[in-house]
Amino acid sequence: MREIRAIGDPVLRTPAETVEGFDKELRRLIDEMFQAMYAVDGVGLAGPQIGVSRRLFVYDISGRKGHVINPVLTVDDAEEILDQEGCLSVPDRQSGKPIYAPVPRAAGVTVEGLDRLGRPLKVKARGSLARCFQHETDHLDGRLYVDRLPKNEARKIMSKA
């Protein structure tokens, strides 16, 4: 089982590399990412969160499940929605559970990328799925949700993590 990396691990702050090979190893990695995500009751997981600096993520949220390799995110509806968000890589030191905070995200997005066989895919999303896509894409760019918070709120969360 792949270990979820926690804040402080440099892989979480490093932009991930483009995936180039679409082979058995990549398909195994995607399966392992789903396994790691489900083991901790997550709804999304990006490569860097398991120490793999590659541009891919998996998700299973709001009745939608899938993966995206080399995602490109486009905002379709820039209206900011403020909602609670947490991260498997920003756990509370005491409980090990994600720390939640209200994070502004775009209301609607489209993600384009490739599937495990290298075929193009495109997914339009609103609500929690759109939030998930934005959160996971941030991971691939070396960003965490706390980076989107006011400094005092981010410091409060970091003191608990």
Short mmCIF file of all heavy atoms in Angstrom, two decimals, residues 94-131:
data_model
loop_
_atom_site.label_atom_id
_atom_site.label_comp_id
_atom_site.label_asym_id
_atom_site.label_seq_id
_atom_site.Cartn_x
_atom_site.Cartn_y
_atom_site.Cartn_z
N GLN A 94 -3.06 15.32 15.78
CA GLN A 94 -3.67 14.51 16.83
C GLN A 94 -4.49 13.35 16.26
O GLN A 94 -4.30 12.21 16.65
CB GLN A 94 -4.59 15.39 17.70
CG GLN A 94 -3.93 16.56 18.34
CD GLN A 94 -3.09 16.17 19.54
OE1 GLN A 94 -3.22 15.08 20.08
NE2 GLN A 94 -2.20 17.04 19.94
N SER A 95 -5.40 13.66 15.35
CA SER A 95 -6.35 12.64 14.87
C SER A 95 -5.92 11.94 13.59
O SER A 95 -6.40 10.85 13.28
CB SER A 95 -7.72 13.28 14.62
OG SER A 95 -7.66 14.15 13.50
N GLY A 96 -5.04 12.57 12.81
CA GLY A 96 -4.65 12.01 11.53
C GLY A 96 -5.67 12.27 10.43
O GLY A 96 -5.48 11.88 9.28
N LYS A 97 -6.77 12.93 10.78
CA LYS A 97 -7.84 13.23 9.82
C LYS A 97 -7.55 14.57 9.13
O LYS A 97 -6.91 15.45 9.71
CB LYS A 97 -9.19 13.32 10.53
CG LYS A 97 -9.59 12.04 11.25
CD LYS A 97 -10.04 11.00 10.28
CE LYS A 97 -10.51 9.77 11.03
NZ LYS A 97 -10.70 8.64 10.16
N PRO A 98 -8.07 14.75 7.91
CA PRO A 98 -7.87 16.03 7.23
C PRO A 98 -8.45 17.19 8.04
O PRO A 98 -9.45 17.05 8.73
CB PRO A 98 -8.65 15.86 5.92
CG PRO A 98 -8.69 14.39 5.68
CD PRO A 98 -8.78 13.78 7.06
N ILE A 99 -7.80 18.34 7.91
CA ILE A 99 -8.27 19.57 8.55
C ILE A 99 -9.05 20.35 7.49
O ILE A 99 -8.52 20.63 6.41
CB ILE A 99 -7.08 20.42 9.05
CG1 ILE A 99 -6.21 19.61 10.02
CG2 ILE A 99 -7.58 21.70 9.69
CD1 ILE A 99 -4.87 20.26 10.33
N TYR A 100 -10.27 20.71 7.80
CA TYR A 100 -11.13 21.39 6.84
C TYR A 100 -11.16 22.90 7.06
O TYR A 100 -11.04 23.37 8.19
CB TYR A 100 -12.56 20.84 6.93
CG TYR A 100 -12.65 19.45 6.35
CD1 TYR A 100 -12.35 18.33 7.11
CD2 TYR A 100 -13.02 19.27 5.02
CE1 TYR A 100 -12.39 17.06 6.56
CE2 TYR A 100 -13.08 18.01 4.47
CZ TYR A 100 -12.77 16.90 5.24
OH TYR A 100 -12.80 15.64 4.69
N ALA A 101 -11.33 23.61 5.95
CA ALA A 101 -11.46 25.07 5.98
C ALA A 101 -12.25 25.49 4.75
O ALA A 101 -12.27 24.78 3.74
CB ALA A 101 -10.08 25.71 5.96
N PRO A 102 -12.92 26.66 4.82
CA PRO A 102 -13.64 27.16 3.65
C PRO A 102 -12.65 27.68 2.60
O PRO A 102 -11.83 28.55 2.90
CB PRO A 102 -14.51 28.28 4.21
CG PRO A 102 -13.87 28.67 5.49
CD PRO A 102 -13.09 27.50 5.99
N VAL A 103 -12.72 27.09 1.40
CA VAL A 103 -11.80 27.45 0.31
C VAL A 103 -12.61 27.90 -0.90
O VAL A 103 -13.56 27.22 -1.29
CB VAL A 103 -10.93 26.23 -0.08
CG1 VAL A 103 -9.98 26.56 -1.22
CG2 VAL A 103 -10.15 25.70 1.12
N PRO A 104 -12.25 29.04 -1.48
CA PRO A 104 -12.96 29.49 -2.69
C PRO A 104 -12.47 28.71 -3.92
O PRO A 104 -11.26 28.54 -4.11
CB PRO A 104 -12.58 30.97 -2.80
CG PRO A 104 -11.26 31.08 -2.11
CD PRO A 104 -11.25 30.01 -1.03
N ARG A 105 -13.41 28.24 -4.72
CA ARG A 105 -13.10 27.52 -5.97
C ARG A 105 -14.09 27.95 -7.04
O ARG A 105 -15.22 28.34 -6.73
CB ARG A 105 -13.19 26.01 -5.79
CG ARG A 105 -12.22 25.40 -4.82
CD ARG A 105 -10.86 25.24 -5.43
NE ARG A 105 -9.98 24.51 -4.52
CZ ARG A 105 -8.71 24.26 -4.77
NH1 ARG A 105 -8.15 24.68 -5.89
NH2 ARG A 105 -7.98 23.59 -3.91
N ALA A 106 -13.70 27.82 -8.29
CA ALA A 106 -14.59 28.14 -9.41
C ALA A 106 -15.76 27.16 -9.41
O ALA A 106 -15.61 25.98 -9.10
CB ALA A 106 -13.82 28.05 -10.72
N ALA A 107 -16.92 27.66 -9.82
CA ALA A 107 -18.15 26.86 -9.80
C ALA A 107 -18.15 25.76 -10.86
O ALA A 107 -18.73 24.69 -10.65
CB ALA A 107 -19.36 27.77 -10.01
N GLY A 108 -17.51 25.99 -11.99
CA GLY A 108 -17.53 25.01 -13.06
C GLY A 108 -16.22 24.95 -13.80
O GLY A 108 -15.60 25.98 -14.07
N VAL A 109 -15.77 23.73 -14.11
CA VAL A 109 -14.51 23.54 -14.83
C VAL A 109 -14.65 22.41 -15.84
O VAL A 109 -15.57 21.59 -15.77
CB VAL A 109 -13.34 23.20 -13.87
CG1 VAL A 109 -13.10 24.32 -12.87
CG2 VAL A 109 -13.54 21.88 -13.16
N THR A 110 -13.71 22.38 -16.76
CA THR A 110 -13.55 21.24 -17.66
C THR A 110 -12.11 20.78 -17.52
O THR A 110 -11.19 21.60 -17.48
CB THR A 110 -13.81 21.64 -19.13
OG1 THR A 110 -15.16 22.07 -19.25
CG2 THR A 110 -13.57 20.47 -20.08
N VAL A 111 -11.93 19.47 -17.40
CA VAL A 111 -10.58 18.93 -17.38
C VAL A 111 -10.41 18.06 -18.63
O VAL A 111 -11.29 17.27 -18.97
CB VAL A 111 -10.28 18.15 -16.07
CG1 VAL A 111 -11.07 16.88 -15.96
CG2 VAL A 111 -8.80 17.84 -15.94
N GLU A 112 -9.31 18.29 -19.31
CA GLU A 112 -8.97 17.48 -20.48
C GLU A 112 -7.64 16.81 -20.20
O GLU A 112 -6.76 17.38 -19.56
CB GLU A 112 -8.85 18.35 -21.73
CG GLU A 112 -10.17 18.97 -22.15
CD GLU A 112 -10.05 19.75 -23.44
OE1 GLU A 112 -9.84 19.11 -24.49
OE2 GLU A 112 -10.18 20.98 -23.37
N GLY A 113 -7.50 15.60 -20.67
CA GLY A 113 -6.27 14.86 -20.46
C GLY A 113 -6.35 13.54 -21.20
O GLY A 113 -7.01 13.43 -22.23
N LEU A 114 -5.71 12.55 -20.62
CA LEU A 114 -5.64 11.23 -21.24
C LEU A 114 -6.06 10.17 -20.23
O LEU A 114 -5.93 10.36 -19.02
CB LEU A 114 -4.21 10.96 -21.71
CG LEU A 114 -3.63 11.98 -22.69
CD1 LEU A 114 -2.14 11.77 -22.85
CD2 LEU A 114 -4.35 11.92 -24.02
N ASP A 115 -6.55 9.04 -20.74
CA ASP A 115 -6.87 7.92 -19.86
C ASP A 115 -5.66 6.97 -19.79
O ASP A 115 -4.61 7.25 -20.38
CB ASP A 115 -8.15 7.20 -20.31
CG ASP A 115 -7.99 6.38 -21.58
OD1 ASP A 115 -6.85 6.25 -22.11
OD2 ASP A 115 -9.01 5.86 -22.06
N ARG A 116 -5.81 5.87 -19.08
CA ARG A 116 -4.70 4.95 -18.84
C ARG A 116 -4.13 4.32 -20.11
O ARG A 116 -3.03 3.78 -20.09
CB ARG A 116 -5.10 3.89 -17.83
CG ARG A 116 -6.22 3.00 -18.29
CD ARG A 116 -6.58 1.86 -17.34
NE ARG A 116 -6.91 2.29 -16.01
CZ ARG A 116 -6.60 1.60 -14.91
NH1 ARG A 116 -6.00 0.46 -14.97
NH2 ARG A 116 -6.95 2.06 -13.73
N LEU A 117 -4.88 4.39 -21.20
CA LEU A 117 -4.40 3.84 -22.48
C LEU A 117 -3.88 4.93 -23.41
O LEU A 117 -3.53 4.66 -24.56
CB LEU A 117 -5.52 3.06 -23.16
CG LEU A 117 -6.06 1.87 -22.35
CD1 LEU A 117 -7.24 1.23 -23.06
CD2 LEU A 117 -4.97 0.86 -22.06
N GLY A 118 -3.87 6.17 -22.92
CA GLY A 118 -3.37 7.28 -23.73
C GLY A 118 -4.42 7.90 -24.63
O GLY A 118 -4.11 8.74 -25.48
N ARG A 119 -5.68 7.53 -24.42
CA ARG A 119 -6.78 8.09 -25.22
C ARG A 119 -7.24 9.41 -24.61
O ARG A 119 -7.31 9.53 -23.38
CB ARG A 119 -7.96 7.12 -25.27
CG ARG A 119 -7.63 5.79 -25.90
CD ARG A 119 -8.80 4.85 -25.85
NE ARG A 119 -9.19 4.63 -24.46
CZ ARG A 119 -9.79 3.53 -24.01
NH1 ARG A 119 -10.08 2.54 -24.83
NH2 ARG A 119 -10.11 3.41 -22.74
N PRO A 120 -7.59 10.39 -25.45
CA PRO A 120 -8.05 11.69 -24.95
C PRO A 120 -9.36 11.55 -24.16
O PRO A 120 -10.21 10.73 -24.50
CB PRO A 120 -8.28 12.53 -26.20
CG PRO A 120 -7.69 11.77 -27.33
CD PRO A 120 -7.55 10.35 -26.90
N LEU A 121 -9.49 12.36 -23.13
CA LEU A 121 -10.75 12.43 -22.39
C LEU A 121 -11.01 13.87 -22.00
O LEU A 121 -10.12 14.69 -21.92
CB LEU A 121 -10.75 11.52 -21.17
CG LEU A 121 -9.74 11.70 -20.04
CD1 LEU A 121 -10.13 12.83 -19.12
CD2 LEU A 121 -9.65 10.43 -19.26
N LYS A 122 -12.29 14.15 -21.78
CA LYS A 122 -12.73 15.49 -21.42
C LYS A 122 -13.91 15.33 -20.48
O LYS A 122 -14.86 14.63 -20.80
CB LYS A 122 -13.15 16.24 -22.69
CG LYS A 122 -13.58 17.66 -22.48
CD LYS A 122 -13.88 18.29 -23.83
CE LYS A 122 -14.26 19.74 -23.71
NZ LYS A 122 -14.46 20.35 -25.03
N VAL A 123 -13.83 15.96 -19.31
CA VAL A 123 -14.89 15.86 -18.31
C VAL A 123 -15.27 17.27 -17.85
O VAL A 123 -14.42 18.03 -17.40
CB VAL A 123 -14.46 15.02 -17.09
CG1 VAL A 123 -15.61 14.86 -16.12
CG2 VAL A 123 -13.92 13.66 -17.50
N LYS A 124 -16.56 17.60 -17.99
CA LYS A 124 -17.09 18.86 -17.47
C LYS A 124 -17.57 18.60 -16.04
O LYS A 124 -18.13 17.53 -15.77
CB LYS A 124 -18.24 19.36 -18.33
CG LYS A 124 -17.81 19.87 -19.68
CD LYS A 124 -18.98 20.57 -20.36
CE LYS A 124 -18.52 21.44 -21.47
NZ LYS A 124 -17.71 22.57 -21.07
N ALA A 125 -17.36 19.56 -15.16
CA ALA A 125 -17.73 19.33 -13.76
C ALA A 125 -18.24 20.62 -13.11
O ALA A 125 -17.79 21.72 -13.43
CB ALA A 125 -16.53 18.80 -12.99
N ARG A 126 -19.16 20.42 -12.18
CA ARG A 126 -19.68 21.49 -11.33
C ARG A 126 -19.70 20.93 -9.91
O ARG A 126 -19.57 19.75 -9.69
CB ARG A 126 -21.08 21.92 -11.78
CG ARG A 126 -21.08 22.54 -13.17
CD ARG A 126 -22.39 23.23 -13.50
NE ARG A 126 -22.68 24.39 -12.66
CZ ARG A 126 -22.09 25.58 -12.75
NH1 ARG A 126 -21.15 25.78 -13.62
NH2 ARG A 126 -22.44 26.56 -11.95
N GLY A 127 -19.91 21.81 -8.94
CA GLY A 127 -20.07 21.36 -7.56
C GLY A 127 -18.84 20.67 -7.01
O GLY A 127 -17.71 21.07 -7.27
N SER A 128 -19.07 19.60 -6.25
CA SER A 128 -17.97 18.94 -5.56
C SER A 128 -16.96 18.30 -6.52
O SER A 128 -15.77 18.22 -6.22
CB SER A 128 -18.49 17.93 -4.54
OG SER A 128 -19.32 16.99 -5.15
N LEU A 129 -17.42 17.84 -7.69
CA LEU A 129 -16.49 17.27 -8.66
C LEU A 129 -15.57 18.36 -9.22
O LEU A 129 -14.36 18.15 -9.36
CB LEU A 129 -17.25 16.57 -9.79
CG LEU A 129 -16.39 15.86 -10.83
CD1 LEU A 129 -15.53 14.77 -10.19
CD2 LEU A 129 -17.27 15.26 -11.94
N ALA A 130 -16.11 19.54 -9.49
CA ALA A 130 -15.28 20.66 -9.96
C ALA A 130 -14.26 21.04 -8.89
O ALA A 130 -13.09 21.30 -9.20
CB ALA A 130 -16.16 21.86 -10.31
N ARG A 131 -14.69 21.06 -7.65
CA ARG A 131 -13.78 21.36 -6.53
C ARG A 131 -12.66 20.32 -6.48
O ARG A 131 -11.49 20.65 -6.33
CB ARG A 131 -14.57 21.40 -5.21
CG ARG A 131 -13.72 21.66 -3.97
CD ARG A 131 -14.60 21.90 -2.76
NE ARG A 131 -15.37 23.13 -2.94
CZ ARG A 131 -14.88 24.36 -2.70
NH1 ARG A 131 -13.67 24.51 -2.23
NH2 ARG A 131 -15.64 25.41 -2.90
#
